[in-house]
Amino acid sequence: MTELEKYIKTYFGVSNDELSTISAYFKPTTLKKNNYFLKSGRHCDKLGFVQSGIIREYVFVGNKEITKWISTSGYFVVDLSSFVFQQTARWNIQALTDCELYIIDQKDYQQIGKVVTRWTELEKLFIAKCFTILEDRVLTHLSMTAEERYNQLFSFNKELFNQVPLQYLASMLGMTPETLSRLRKKTLG
Amino acid sequence: MTELEKYIKTYFGVSNDELSTISAYFKPTTLKKNNYFLKSGRHCDKLGFVQSGIIREYVFVGNKEITKWISTSGYFVVDLSSFVFQQTARWNIQALTDCELYIIDQKDYQQIGKVVTRWTELEKLFIAKCFTILEDRVLTHLSMTAEERYNQLFSFNKELFNQVPLQYLASMLGMTPETLSRLRKKTLG
DNA sequence: ACTTGCTCTTGATAAAAATCAAGAAGTTTA
DNA sequence: TAAACTTCTTGATTTTTATCAAGAGCAAGT
């Protein structure tokens, strides 16, 4: 069973039949380091699942790159506004390491809905879950200092800090690389 | 046509038949100033639509109230994690003024899905839209200063600053009341 | 009208975080 | 291996924002 199948089974609680139907639509692919899954301005016509590797989602604000999220094994990557509403994509989605992905294109994705009865319901639940996670993330910015946000992420996923350039984590946490560097020093020493 | 019906029609693009079916499930109610639509810790078993008035969604973090959002006419109010996933509610949802609401309880809400074929699809699209709005909100915290966040909200909705206690807006923007006060002075003078 | 309480502002100060600049350490490339 | 990059750290400084404290302005209730 692939990571993708485990994920779908655990998260969506589908039957084995449904599971194999759904996962059959996802095609294994590789994405080489520094290559793009998606570039902003294009249309996002596919959904990816990270089997292995690390992927960064970022956007230019002015001349600055803002990293919105780092996806590791077990995360989906997509520009939802583009995938669902056919708008131009806002996010750049780029591999930080060589990656194994499972990819489904929009046409096949819509096909699932015709084959798996509960699919739209499962989609809804999944997006709702993502919404509540984002609500929490907003709350961290309303209620926590940079140091507290760093500590929270560090205790949640220590390995990330060995695998991902720290400047990207700093951006994702809403602070400068210098500030992150000093917070690391502070909590280690 | 009520605000609710206008909203549903504009946003979901449903037929007139579907519209009247859906809106019939929403019951007009009033909520007096300072009363609660929802208290955290309870189960959120209803969804509200603000016809008139102002509602604040907040949560205690430590001993501090954090205002997550201010809803005015045209907004839905709900604790999504509670309404969808049957968890205990995280948000306190309280009327800042006397309000007119349209409320639907969970049982009737589920009933819509049995009557309106596309309902789950419409739900999905609505939640996806909310997700992308939250993505933007996270981005403002990653890329903007307190002053920029204030200016953005002020140019988006000037009236809010006359209608809502500024301390709540400050919290929602992720700054102290003192900082908001000084930013207001700065941009006016 | 007079408290009482609440909200907002203002000032002084402290703390947090950003910026600017330089250099160290590690990688990649030629 | 050397040169060129890139990333991270560190120091000095400035800017931004929070904190603490006090008072002004209003509104509600007695």
Side-chain angles (χ1 to χ4, degrees):
Chain A
M1 198 183 279
T2 64
E3 285 298 312
L4 173 63
E5 285 171 328
K6 275 188 225 161
Y7 184 96
I8 295 174
K9 188 155 183 67
T10 305
Y11 195 83
F12 293 111
V14 295
S15 71
N16 285 337
D17 271 8
E18 287 171 324
L19 177 60
S20 37
T21 306
I22 294 170
S23 71
Y25 283 105
F26 284 83
K27 305 301 177 202
T29 335
T30 59
L31 186 64
K32 285 281 174 202
K33 180 171 176 173
N34 293 330
N35 283 1
Y36 283 84
F37 174 80
L38 175 69
K39 285 198 176 181
S40 75
R42 308 268 177 84
H43 173 236
C44 179
D45 59 356
K46 56 192 192 291
L47 170 70
F49 177 85
V50 183
Q51 168 76 12
S52 71
I54 304 177
I55 292 194
R56 177 171 77 112
E57 301 175 38
Y58 71 93
V59 63
F60 277 94
V61 177
N63 51 358
K64 262 196 209 161
E65 278 183 6
I66 305 292
T67 296
K68 193 202 62 162
W69 194 249
I70 305 281
S71 290
T72 50
S73 174
Y75 283 89
F76 283 97
V77 288
V78 71
D79 184 307
L80 199 73
S81 67
S82 181
F83 191 72
V84 173
F85 299 109
Q86 317 303 324
Q87 299 175 334
T88 56
R90 300 180 299 167
W91 313 119
N92 296 286
I93 304 184
Q94 184 185 24
L96 290 181
T97 64
D98 289 354
C99 292
E100 298 172 290
L101 301 178
Y102 286 92
I103 292 184
I104 183 169
D105 67 38
Q106 213 162 33
K107 199 158 49 51
D108 284 344
Y109 186 87
Q110 283 156 3
Q111 200 56 37
I112 297 181
K114 295 173 185 161
V115 181
V116 178
T117 324
R118 295 164 58 228
W119 181 243
T120 311
E121 173 76 10
L122 297 176
E123 272 186 284
K124 182 196 87 174
L125 293 174
F126 181 72
I127 298 171
K129 182 70 187 172
C130 294
F131 176 88
T132 65
I133 291 169
L134 265 195
E135 276 187 314
D136 281 339
R137 192 162 175 214
V138 168
L139 208 64
T140 66
H141 286 280
L142 300 185
S143 66
M144 293 168 110
T145 62
E147 182 169 4
E148 289 167 333
R149 292 196 302 277
Y150 160 70
N151 285 332
Q152 178 182 267
L153 181 62
F154 185 68
S155 47
F156 178 71
N157 189 348
K158 290 185 175 47
E159 300 132 63
L160 214 53
F161 291 80
N162 298 319
Q163 297 168 331
V164 176
L166 297 171
Q167 57 181 321
Y168 299 147
L169 295 178
S171 176
M172 183 178 129
L173 286 166
M175 64 187 76
T176 60
E178 292 94 333
T179 295
L180 177 58
S181 175
R182 290 183 177 109
L183 291 176
R184 273 159 55 82
K185 192 181 176 187
K186 190 173 173 181
T187 51
L188 288 176
Chain B
M1 198 182 280
T2 65
E3 285 297 312
L4 173 62
E5 286 170 327
K6 273 188 228 163
Y7 183 96
I8 295 174
K9 188 158 182 67
T10 306
Y11 195 82
F12 294 111
V14 295
S15 70
N16 285 339
D17 271 7
E18 288 172 323
L19 177 60
S20 37
T21 306
I22 295 169
S23 71
Y25 283 105
F26 285 84
K27 305 300 178 201
T29 334
T30 58
L31 186 64
K32 286 280 175 201
K33 180 170 175 172
N34 293 330
N35 283 1
Y36 283 84
F37 174 80
L38 176 69
K39 285 196 177 182
S40 75
R42 309 268 177 82
H43 173 235
C44 179
D45 60 356
K46 55 191 193 291
L47 170 69
F49 177 85
V50 183
Q51 168 78 12
S52 70
I54 303 178
I55 291 193
R56 178 170 76 111
E57 300 174 39
Y58 71 94
V59 63
F60 278 93
V61 177
N63 53 358
K64 262 197 208 163
E65 278 183 7
I66 305 293
T67 297
K68 193 202 64 163
W69 194 249
I70 305 282
S71 291
T72 50
S73 174
Y75 283 90
F76 283 96
V77 288
V78 71
D79 184 305
L80 200 73
S81 67
S82 182
F83 192 72
V84 172
F85 299 109
Q86 317 303 325
Q87 300 176 333
T88 56
R90 302 180 299 168
W91 314 119
N92 296 286
I93 305 184
Q94 184 184 26
L96 291 181
T97 65
D98 289 354
C99 292
E100 299 171 289
L101 301 177
Y102 285 93
I103 292 183
I104 183 168
D105 67 37
Q106 214 162 32
K107 201 159 46 52
D108 283 344
Y109 186 86
Q110 283 156 3
Q111 200 55 37
I112 297 182
K114 295 174 185 159
V115 181
V116 178
T117 324
R118 293 166 57 228
W119 182 242
T120 311
E121 173 77 10
L122 297 176
E123 272 186 285
K124 182 197 87 176
L125 293 174
F126 182 71
I127 298 171
K129 181 71 188 172
C130 293
F131 177 88
T132 65
I133 290 168
L134 264 195
E135 277 187 314
D136 281 338
R137 193 162 172 213
V138 168
L139 208 63
T140 64
H141 286 281
L142 300 185
S143 65
M144 294 168 110
T145 63
E147 182 168 2
E148 290 168 333
R149 292 197 302 277
Y150 160 70
N151 286 332
Q152 179 182 266
L153 180 62
F154 185 68
S155 47
F156 178 70
N157 189 350
K158 289 185 174 48
E159 299 133 62
L160 214 53
F161 291 80
N162 298 319
Q163 297 168 331
V164 176
L166 295 172
Q167 56 182 320
Y168 299 148
L169 295 179
S171 176
M172 183 178 128
L173 286 166
M175 64 186 78
T176 61
E178 292 93 333
T179 296
L180 177 58
S181 176
R182 291 184 176 108
L183 291 175
R184 274 159 54 80
K185 192 180 174 188
K186 189 173 173 182
T187 49
L188 288 175

